[in-house]
Amino acid sequence: EYEIEMKDDQVLAKNNEYTSRFYKWLGQRDPGFLSKTTAAIYTDTGASMVALRIYPLSPYITEQTAELLIDGLSKAKMQFDAESK
């Protein structure tokens, strides 16, 4: 979908809206390590793409803890998708 979003503003708008809703949903569960940007990149049409950013602030983060973080986000996304149907 990334290639499509770069050229189709309607597809991009749907993804931006989805990403924003997911971020808001996550925020209600207090993931303080995450932020959202409204202009991570600009598409071929000049539109801005919303993206989530991960900020692990501990100097002790390891590959294992990073994998746990990603796994937790993946599970949260599955829960969000199930609740959003």
Side-chain angles (χ1 to χ4, degrees):
E1 275 191 44
Y2 172 76
E3 291 84 9
I4 296 170
E5 293 168 354
M6 291 300 290
K7 296 177 175 139
D8 187 330
D9 287 347
Q10 290 180 332
V11 174
L12 176 66
K14 286 181 183 178
N15 182 60
N16 284 348
E17 191 272 331
Y18 172 87
T19 302
S20 294
R21 283 189 302 111
F22 180 52
Y23 176 73
K24 183 177 180 181
W25 182 88
L26 282 170
Q28 294 169 348
R29 285 144 185 83
D30 192 30
F33 58 85
L34 199 66
S35 74
K36 181 182 87 164
T37 179
T38 57
I41 61 171
Y42 290 91
T43 66
D44 297 343
T45 66
S48 62
M49 183 178 290
V50 171
L52 301 182
R53 296 180 182 177
I54 299 172
Y55 288 101
L57 300 176
S58 172
Y60 304 106
I61 192 165
T62 64
E63 183 177 341
Q64 181 183 10
T65 55
E67 288 174 2
L68 288 171
L69 174 67
I70 298 302
D71 185 53
L73 278 173
S74 178
K75 288 177 181 173
K77 184 185 176 304
M78 286 188 279
Q79 182 180 349
F80 171 76
D81 287 343
E83 291 178 14
S84 296
K85 289 183 179 183

